[in-house]
Amino acid sequence: MKSLQIILLIFLSLFRAFCYSLPLSTRGRWIADSETGRPVKLTCLNWAAHIETMIFVAKVTLMGFNCIRLTYATFMWTRPDYGNKTVAQSLDSLNLTQAREGIARNNPQLLNLSLQDAYEAVVDAIGANGLMLVLDNHVSKPMWCCAREDGNGFFGDMFFDPKEWVQGLTQVASRFKGKPQVVAMSMRNELRGPRQNLPDWYTNMTEGAKAIHSTNPDVLVLVSGLNFDLDLSFLNTTPFGLTLDNKVVYEGHWYSFDFTQQWQTQPLNRVFRQWADEFQREAAFLITGDNAGVNQADNRYFNCLLPTVTEKDLDWALWSPQGSYYYREGMAGPEEVYSAESGFCVNVEGQDNVHGSSCRERSKWSHSGDWSPIQLVGSELCLKAVGDGVPVALSTDCKSPWATWKPVSDSMLHIAAMDEQGNSLCLESTSSNYPSILTRSCACLNNEANCDPQSQWFKLVPSNLS
């Protein structure tokens, strides 16, 4: 049997640097370099520039990411009383004295720029740092997003005039035409609310997509769904109908709070299976045919999400890198509570040190299927269980039951070998920034009330994923 070359992942997010040329296009289900056809993986961070201050001070650290999803409000481009206001005037109008002083110290050149010019300066600075941008129309009226009935949710809402929205998309597409770092435009963030209906969705999203593409044919056009962008299932029966010369990309959002009670109270393998099935029904069918969370539900959800995103080789964006906002929902300086976590790959250091560490320089393993060895590529060595609570070893004894492995749970995130008595021993990682890899009894699979199985969540995925 031909073995599958894999990377062994612990709740991982996968980072990879590419050499590519711009602009980008789609090729089948992939985003690709238009010139060579080589896949380009978008691994993005969000930065909020759509709220009242409408300014983003660009100092981006790569951290393995290659793009920024930079939000904006429609009114900044369609209404002069918003877009022509200077940065200083915007901050002063909100009594953000401390923020104004900080910008005066660190980026004084921004204060007298209009909000439109400041936004463009940010785009240029991000491009100068080698990052790509997705320009995201987050709201129409500058404000925090997203409440179900906040006037920004769906076509025809108080602040969401479809004609003004198309005007804004056109202006942004025109303003940033010729800037190769702007690789995509997201037409609208999280459509929602009681006005949602499919006829208006198809009519307006088609018009918006055509307006962007006719103005700037280089950019990808990101199409979002309904119900806070959780639902694209309707495309399974009635396709969008546009390809725009291979520029259409579909955007989906997923959150821990969609299954909050389940993550907290039900067996995790069952919840993971339910979540994965729903994801397949509502969005993933499109490809087959956003630091730790602040609560238990967030932690469990994120550790479920990462293997799924990796296995399906999705482009993705995390919300969000900054620790606080200048201004949000009537408050100055509120903290950002949604932050990002990354995982590890199982790597080998030296001759026998098996541990979890960055996926940037990762060891490659081969696995031929259920109850076959996990073998270090280019060697005769394989992973071998030694005992309950004992670190795994590298061994040449690759035919022993202790050295043959299989996913053994509904979630497919528990990978086990057998001891001499036929008991399953699951791979497990310790809780640290440099985790050890060991095996423990797979008892969590049958009695999850007495233990938390997250530390035993591993995934085998192809090593050639982009």
Side-chain angles (χ1 to χ4, degrees):
M1 180 185 296
K2 184 179 179 181
S3 68
L4 172 68
Q5 198 170 109
I6 59 167
I7 320 157
L8 189 55
L9 306 138
I10 319 168
F11 330 143
L12 69 98
S13 59
L14 182 61
F15 304 110
R16 182 172 178 181
F18 277 90
C19 295
Y20 47 78
S21 59
L22 303 175
L24 305 179
S25 296
T26 59
R27 182 159 297 197
R29 57 141 296 187
W30 311 104
I31 293 173
D33 178 327
S34 296
E35 183 176 325
T36 66
R38 184 178 182 183
V40 175
K41 176 66 60 189
L42 295 182
T43 56
C44 306
L45 281 176
N46 282 274
W47 205 293
H50 64 277
I51 47 182
E52 287 88 338
T53 48
M54 293 185 289
I55 179 171
F56 166 65
V57 180
K59 186 178 181 182
V60 179
T61 305
L62 281 173
M63 298 185 296
F65 299 95
N66 65 14
C67 84
I68 293 291
R69 181 179 182 253
L70 187 64
T71 68
Y72 69 88
T74 297
F75 289 2
M76 185 169 74
W77 303 100
T78 59
R79 302 192 180 188
D81 54 329
Y82 285 91
N84 291 342
K85 186 182 295 184
T86 68
V87 172
Q89 290 170 339
S90 178
L91 297 173
D92 289 345
S93 70
L94 298 168
N95 296 315
L96 298 179
T97 304
Q98 187 174 358
R100 193 185 198 282
E101 292 172 350
I103 293 176
R105 285 193 304 270
N106 298 304
N107 293 286
Q109 72 280 6
L110 294 178
L111 284 174
N112 292 322
L113 294 180
S114 71
L115 293 176
Q116 288 185 3
D117 289 342
Y119 190 92
E120 184 169 8
V122 168
V123 168
D124 290 341
I126 291 173
N129 281 278
L131 293 167
M132 296 177 286
L133 288 107
V134 176
L135 304 185
D136 168 62
N137 178 225
H138 217 67
V139 292
S140 293
K141 177 182 171 60
M143 62 190 296
W144 181 247
C145 184
C146 303
R148 181 174 174 81
E149 299 185 46
D150 59 7
N152 273 310
F154 197 72
F155 306 107
D157 280 359
M158 181 183 299
F159 307 120
F160 196 169
D161 177 72
K163 291 183 179 179
E164 185 176 19
W165 171 71
V166 171
Q167 178 190 354
L169 293 177
T170 302
Q171 290 194 25
V172 172
S174 176
R175 178 84 174 230
F176 297 99
K177 184 177 182 179
K179 293 184 184 291
Q181 71 269 32
V182 177
V183 298
M185 287 181 59
S186 176
M187 285 197 286
R188 188 69 172 198
N189 179 69
E190 300 197 349
L191 294 167
R192 59 198 180 276
R195 288 180 179 270
Q196 293 181 98
N197 66 86
L198 287 176
D200 284 351
W201 185 92
Y202 280 100
T203 296
N204 290 295
M205 295 299 272
T206 298
E207 186 175 352
K210 288 180 176 178
I212 292 173
H213 186 66
S214 64
T215 305
N216 185 349
D218 286 338
V219 296
L220 300 170
V221 178
L222 273 57
V223 179
S224 59
L226 297 174
N227 190 25
F228 294 87
D229 206 10
L230 297 170
D231 185 10
L232 290 157
S233 61
F234 50 89
L235 295 173
N236 201 14
T237 55
T238 308
F240 185 45
L242 293 179
T243 63
L244 303 178
D245 302 318
N246 298 320
K247 295 293 185 179
V248 172
V249 175
Y250 296 101
E251 174 181 349
H253 296 183
W254 299 277
Y255 300 101
S256 64
F257 39 78
D258 295 322
F259 280 82
T260 297
Q261 184 176 1
Q262 293 95 319
W263 291 121
Q264 294 173 336
T265 61
Q266 296 183 15
L268 297 190
N269 286 309
R270 183 189 308 161
V271 179
F272 176 89
R273 186 73 271 151
Q274 292 171 348
W275 179 89
D277 289 346
E278 182 171 300
F279 168 59
Q280 177 65 32
R281 287 192 303 272
E282 295 195 346
F285 69 89
L286 287 165
I287 61 169
T288 57
D290 179 55
N291 297 325
V294 296
N295 56 55
Q296 185 185 59
D298 285 349
N299 289 335
R300 291 179 169 184
Y301 162 78
F302 205 80
N303 289 333
C304 169
L305 172 69
L306 288 177
T308 304
V309 169
T310 304
E311 180 181 35
K312 295 182 180 295
D313 201 17
L314 301 178
D315 301 76
W316 49 268
L318 293 174
W319 187 283
S320 128
Q322 79 279 1
S324 63
Y325 295 90
Y326 289 139
Y327 188 85
R328 171 179 157 180
E329 298 179 290
M331 295 177 58
E335 292 185 0
E336 173 57 80
V337 297
Y338 297 109
S339 55
E341 165 186 328
S342 64
F344 299 100
C345 286
V346 175
N347 292 321
V348 176
E349 186 175 279
Q351 294 185 341
D352 57 5
N353 181 11
V354 181
H355 62 276
S357 60
S358 170
C359 294
R360 297 179 194 178
E361 299 293 334
R362 55 186 181 264
S363 300
K364 291 184 179 180
W365 308 82
S366 65
H367 186 247
S368 299
D370 291 352
W371 303 123
S372 65
I374 297 176
Q375 190 160 353
L376 185 64
V377 172
S379 78
E380 300 297 320
L381 300 174
C382 57
L383 284 182
K384 184 176 182 180
V386 179
D388 191 353
V390 180
V392 296
L394 286 176
S395 172
T396 56
D397 181 17
C398 296
K399 296 183 179 180
S400 164
W402 294 79
T404 56
W405 303 84
K406 173 188 175 179
V408 290
S409 65
D410 289 340
S411 66
M412 303 297 285
L413 293 178
H414 294 78
I415 300 172
M418 292 283 189
D419 66 15
E420 293 174 347
Q421 288 73 44
N423 300 312
S424 296
L425 294 173
C426 283
L427 284 173
E428 182 168 305
S429 65
T430 57
S431 298
S432 71
N433 291 328
Y434 191 78
S436 299
I437 309 301
L438 55 147
T439 53
R440 288 194 189 277
S441 168
C442 298
C444 280
L445 301 182
N446 301 315
N447 191 11
E448 297 192 51
N450 294 332
C451 54
D452 188 341
Q454 288 183 89
S455 62
Q456 295 182 337
W457 282 10
F458 285 70
K459 191 73 174 179
L460 300 165
V461 300
S463 64
N464 62 347
L465 292 183
S466 55

